Amino acid sequence: MTTPTPTGGLTGSGPVFSGTGWRAATISAVYAIDPNQQFTITFPSQALKDRYTPYLTAALAQLNTAGVKVAIGGIEAINYAVVPPQGHIQFNEVYRPMGTPGYSQGLPCWNTATNRVWGGFVLIDSEYWDGSWTISETKKKNVIPHELCHALGLDHCNSDMNNDGVIATFETVKDSAGVSPLMTSPNGGYQDSRAGTLTPYDLNGIKALVANHTAVGMTASQPAAVARPRNLAIGCTP
């Protein structure tokens, strides 16, 4: 599929890949979310499902309201050499999945015929839980849905706000209260009781990916092609 040209607005007739405080993961060839696709978050063990479900509940409610059908599922084995079953987003804990202390990873897989999100992988740094990396509960609440949104097709939203030619960490738009998007790199989002939820910036990005399903001529009747995952640091076949 040829990369379509974005029109630049949420209400345009063509696909939109970025806006204020959000950016689609076009680097991973992800252009849209199929609103008819049921996404299911699975885990390799009951213990991990029990650990992560409370951190995902509020964000899942927002995503469903925004048009993404996503729910907590059950237990399944993970094979990083192949893509997950269609619609599955596989959560796991891995020691330094990015090779850097304290960094986690979320990656989408996509349908190569339609560039819709197929499923994905989320790998949370195990150091958050064993005491070897200091992380606040607020930051932990934000990083888990942050990585889920990567698996659903959102990229980091940082931009050159001060026009110095450099896009720095934490450099992104903020609202009048100083809140940055959840998808800020390396982390952002609410720093109060709302931690763990998407900001309006992030929700606009999700809604745009859902709208892109129609804007780029994607239909539910199109046959699925082989989906290929974004390269995983731990060795997933691209």
Side-chain angles (χ1 to χ4, degrees), residues 75-98:
I75 312 305
E76 70 176 350
I78 301 174
N79 180 358
Y80 292 113
V82 298
V83 298
Q86 185 171 2
H88 286 211
I89 298 173
Q90 297 178 326
F91 257 72
N92 199 4
E93 272 180 29
V94 177
Y95 177 73
R96 297 183 182 178
M98 296 289 291

Side-chain angles (χ1 to χ4, degrees), residues 4-236:
T5 301
T7 60
L10 278 176
T11 59
S13 59
V16 183
F17 300 138
S18 64
T20 302
W22 70 271
R23 182 178 295 109
T26 54
I27 190 174
S28 296
V30 171
Y31 305 148
I33 296 173
D34 183 351
N36 302 301
Q37 173 66 59
Q38 176 65 57
F39 292 98
T40 303
I41 299 172
T42 65
F43 307 84
S45 71
Q46 185 64 46
L48 289 183
K49 178 179 179 179
D50 292 344
R51 170 174 285 176
Y52 286 102
T53 295
Y55 289 92
L56 292 165
T57 302
L60 293 189
Q62 289 180 294
L63 288 166
N64 277 277
T65 299
V68 181
K69 297 178 181 178
V70 57
I72 298 295
I75 312 305
E76 70 176 350
I78 301 174
N79 180 358
Y80 292 113
V82 298
V83 298
Q86 185 171 2
H88 286 211
I89 298 173
Q90 297 178 326
F91 257 72
N92 199 4
E93 272 180 29
V94 177
Y95 177 73
R96 297 183 182 178
M98 296 289 291
T100 303
Y103 277 68
S104 294
Q105 187 175 39
L107 295 170
C109 303
W110 65 95
N111 184 312
T112 57
T114 64
N115 295 88
R116 296 179 299 199
V117 177
W118 172 278
F121 301 105
V122 173
L123 299 98
I124 303 298
D125 186 6
S126 59
E127 294 175 296
Y128 299 170
W129 308 96
D130 65 13
S132 59
W133 180 260
T134 301
I135 182 171
S136 68
E137 184 64 15
T138 294
K139 190 174 291 186
K140 195 185 298 181
K141 286 180 177 178
N142 282 330
V143 74
I144 293 168
H146 172 113
E147 301 303 343
L148 171 62
C149 286
H150 276 319
L152 287 170
L154 285 185
D155 204 344
H156 290 136
C157 60
N158 298 44
S159 60
D160 186 10
M161 300 295 293
N162 58 7
N163 298 312
D164 66 352
V166 177
I167 299 177
T169 55
F170 300 105
E171 188 175 7
T172 188
V173 66
K174 295 179 175 63
D175 69 13
S176 60
V179 176
S180 62
L182 180 69
M183 298 309 293
T184 300
S185 176
N187 55 73
Y190 295 113
Q191 302 300 306
D192 53 23
S193 61
R194 296 169 292 176
T197 62
L198 283 68
T199 71
Y201 299 117
D202 309 296
L203 288 170
N204 278 343
I206 291 292
K207 291 174 183 177
L209 287 173
V210 172
N212 283 353
H213 170 77
T214 300
V216 296
M218 301 172 184
T219 66
S221 62
Q222 286 178 284
V226 175
R228 51 195 175 102
R230 177 79 174 145
N231 185 47
L232 276 166
I234 61 170
C236 188

